[in-house]
Amino acid sequence: MSVYMSLRVKGDADRLQQVAADNQDTLQAIAGRARESGCIHHRFAKQNGDIVVIDEWQDEAGFWSFFKSDPDVPKLLQEAGAQGEPQISFYEAMTLGDEF
């Protein structure tokens, strides 16, 4: 069963949006490598000065393999003003019958 991953780091979400707009080719290349590593769904969000990533992965190992080896992810986060180490958490999906 797949896992959900959240990554949270202090940073400037508006700056991240500008960095993303200026680097669409790099962003699309990262997304392709993430899919190849087992990422099923991916989304950025923001909250109170934090940049948040919410993903669904085939498994935790696929995320770690991608995250530790991709050369562009840390560059983009640094360019967006990310501060400190990201907080990464994993969650197991539950099936209760109300999914959509």
Side-chain angles (χ1 to χ4, degrees):
M1 179 167 266
S2 64
V3 296
Y4 294 96
M5 182 283 308
S6 70
L7 179 153
R8 180 181 290 267
V9 65
K10 290 285 179 202
D12 184 340
D14 292 334
R15 187 167 164 192
L16 175 61
Q17 286 183 300
Q18 186 59 54
V19 168
D22 293 343
N23 295 279
Q24 272 301 298
D25 289 345
T26 301
L27 208 61
Q28 293 305 315
I30 292 170
R33 292 189 297 267
R35 283 192 293 275
E36 289 171 4
S37 297
C39 189
I40 300 166
H41 296 105
H42 167 74
R43 190 71 190 228
F44 274 97
K46 61 183 178 176
Q47 181 189 42
N48 299 329
D50 287 347
I51 296 168
V52 181
V53 178
I54 303 164
D55 289 351
E56 181 180 6
W57 285 81
Q58 290 176 358
D59 55 37
E60 190 174 330
F63 166 78
W64 284 118
S65 175
F66 164 77
F67 188 73
K68 290 180 179 181
S69 68
D70 195 273
D72 292 322
V73 170
K75 289 178 192 175
L76 284 180
L77 287 174
Q78 183 178 20
E79 201 173 327
Q83 303 167 10
E85 290 296 314
Q87 298 172 347
I88 300 172
S89 300
F90 292 90
Y91 308 91
E92 285 184 46
M94 297 175 61
T95 302
L96 305 178
D98 64 342
E99 298 79 21
F100 61 91

